[in-house]
Amino acid sequence: MAPLLSTSLSTLPTEIIICFGAGLMIAVLLGFTAGYFLGKSAPARNFRRARKHLQNCYQHVRETLDTACTACSLLEKFPGTILTSEQTRELNSKRTSLLSLINRLVERKSAEQEPLPPVTKQEKKKQQEFPALQWAFQPEHSHLKLPDSSAFEANLEMMLLTGTATQNNSGLLLVQMNQHDQLKERFGIMAPVKFMKTFSRLIMHNVRDEDVICLWKSDTLAILFPGVDVDAGQNCAETIREAIRHHHFRLESNSSEVVVTASLAYLNCVPGDSAELVLERGLHALTQSQKQGRNQLIIQDSHSYEHKQAI
């Protein structure tokens, strides 16, 4: 077959062979050129395709948020709608998570578009002395005689705003009673309330006059420390932890001892912190404290977002 092909080619005129070779070379060059330019433009095409997908994702997020707003509006207008405590906690958790995600997304985009101001510009807002706060003590929990959750949230917001205005740090200590429901089942509905009173009494003996103790949840006390740095707040939190750990809890003065423990989380609040994000970090820190064991304290610095077990 090979000799026959060679014989056939040898019988062709030289001009035809030259044209065939030239055509083949042109075809190879055209293919190479087309492949080169297609490969060079591939990143741009991929970028346009990815950008289109991101726009579709944004549109989907916006439509979903619009739908959620409409549904919440209808639920609010529905006569006689009362959410259970579990539903309220779930909605509050979803709201906090969504707000945190949206804030991070918006802040990241703003940081990309706007250059950070020079460090020297921060000196124009000097740290001021933390003023005395007029705490909200009402509404009050009827049995514990402490500001309830709504008063606590108002006090926290006021402390954070004042800290931002004066460029001062503050502190928040959360003390959560462990096995709250089990204590109620074992010793009666009022038993946890009595133990929470003991918690508040122990805490009251270890805080400053300008600090305030509030009830955040049925099993969690919140102590606000205005104008303290992380070291001073941590020392006070460790003192409270030790007071709870070494106390002998009893329902009555002549009754037997009951094992009652707590999970503690101290949060360093810096200028610019919001109440929603502080409380979200607090819930996460309490979860970490529970995983560490009984009467454990987690210290969380707002700058590092690192948790450590206090010794």
Side-chain angles (χ1 to χ4, degrees):
M1 184 66 183
L4 180 60
L5 181 60
S6 301
T7 303
S8 300
L9 291 175
S10 63
T11 58
L12 293 175
T14 306
E15 293 80 359
I16 296 177
I17 296 176
I18 293 174
C19 291
F20 176 77
L24 181 61
M25 182 176 296
I26 292 172
V28 171
L29 288 175
L30 288 175
F32 175 78
T33 303
Y36 171 77
F37 283 106
L38 286 174
K40 189 176 181 180
S41 62
R45 292 199 312 274
N46 293 336
F47 176 77
R48 288 193 297 270
R49 189 180 297 113
R51 186 175 181 179
K52 182 179 179 181
H53 288 319
L54 286 175
Q55 291 297 330
N56 292 339
C57 182
Y58 165 77
Q59 184 68 20
H60 176 68
V61 170
R62 193 184 68 175
E63 292 175 355
T64 303
L65 289 176
D66 290 340
T67 302
C69 289
T70 303
C72 289
S73 178
L74 292 175
L75 185 62
E76 181 185 18
K77 295 177 182 179
F78 192 85
T81 300
I82 299 178
L83 299 179
T84 64
S85 300
E86 181 64 29
Q87 290 172 334
T88 303
R89 284 195 297 269
E90 185 177 1
L91 281 179
N92 186 58
S93 175
K94 296 293 183 184
R95 179 191 65 177
T96 303
S97 300
L98 179 61
L99 180 62
S100 175
L101 288 172
I102 293 178
N103 284 342
R104 290 203 299 269
L105 183 61
V106 173
E107 289 171 0
R108 185 180 65 179
K109 186 62 178 177
S110 300
E112 293 175 356
Q113 293 179 347
E114 300 178 4
L116 293 175
V119 178
T120 54
K121 290 185 178 180
Q122 297 178 358
E123 297 177 357
K124 65 181 181 180
K125 201 169 186 179
K126 296 182 180 179
Q127 181 174 340
Q128 307 172 24
E129 185 178 352
F130 206 100
L133 298 179
Q134 299 296 322
W135 297 117
F137 295 102
Q138 300 292 333
E140 182 183 75
H141 188 273
S142 57
H143 296 293
L144 294 178
K145 303 301 179 182
L146 295 175
D148 67 4
S149 59
S150 59
F152 159 65
E153 292 174 0
N155 288 330
L156 175 62
E157 189 74 29
M158 177 175 58
M159 184 183 73
L160 294 177
L161 290 175
T162 306
T164 300
T166 60
Q167 292 297 291
N168 277 282
N169 288 8
S170 297
L172 170 64
L173 176 64
L174 300 177
V175 181
Q176 184 181 59
M177 180 189 297
N178 300 138
Q179 298 181 336
H180 180 273
D181 294 335
Q182 289 84 341
L183 292 172
K184 184 188 299 185
E185 293 176 359
R186 288 178 57 194
F187 303 105
I189 190 172
M190 293 303 296
V193 176
K194 292 182 179 180
F195 293 135
M196 291 292 279
K197 283 184 178 180
T198 305
F199 273 19
S200 64
R201 186 178 69 251
L202 293 173
I203 294 170
M204 195 174 300
H205 291 160
N206 292 282
V207 296
R208 307 170 302 171
D209 293 338
E210 56 266 37
D211 303 330
V212 65
I213 308 172
C214 303
L215 180 69
W216 181 27
K217 299 181 180 181
S218 60
D219 63 345
T220 306
L221 296 176
I223 303 90
L224 299 172
F225 300 93
V228 298
D229 58 28
V230 64
D231 292 330
Q234 176 176 341
N235 291 335
C236 188
E238 289 177 343
T239 301
I240 293 173
R241 194 267 305 255
E242 289 299 312
I244 294 175
R245 187 165 72 94
H246 293 292
H247 186 76
H248 300 284
F249 289 90
R250 303 176 190 274
L251 280 174
E252 305 294 342
S253 58
N254 57 351
S255 61
S256 58
E257 182 178 347
V258 179
V259 177
V260 180
T261 61
S263 298
L264 299 91
Y266 180 83
L267 300 110
N268 181 40
C269 305
V270 300
D273 272 345
S274 66
E276 291 83 3
L277 294 181
V278 167
L279 291 178
E280 182 183 3
R281 298 201 323 262
L283 289 174
H284 179 66
L286 280 178
T287 301
Q288 297 300 316
S289 176
Q290 292 171 357
K291 292 180 180 178
Q292 295 290 340
R294 296 181 174 183
N295 293 325
Q296 297 301 310
L297 170 64
I298 296 294
I299 306 295
Q300 187 188 53
D301 191 337
S302 178
H303 293 294
S304 64
Y305 288 93
E306 294 179 357
H307 300 81
K308 61 179 180 179
Q309 178 179 343
I311 300 176

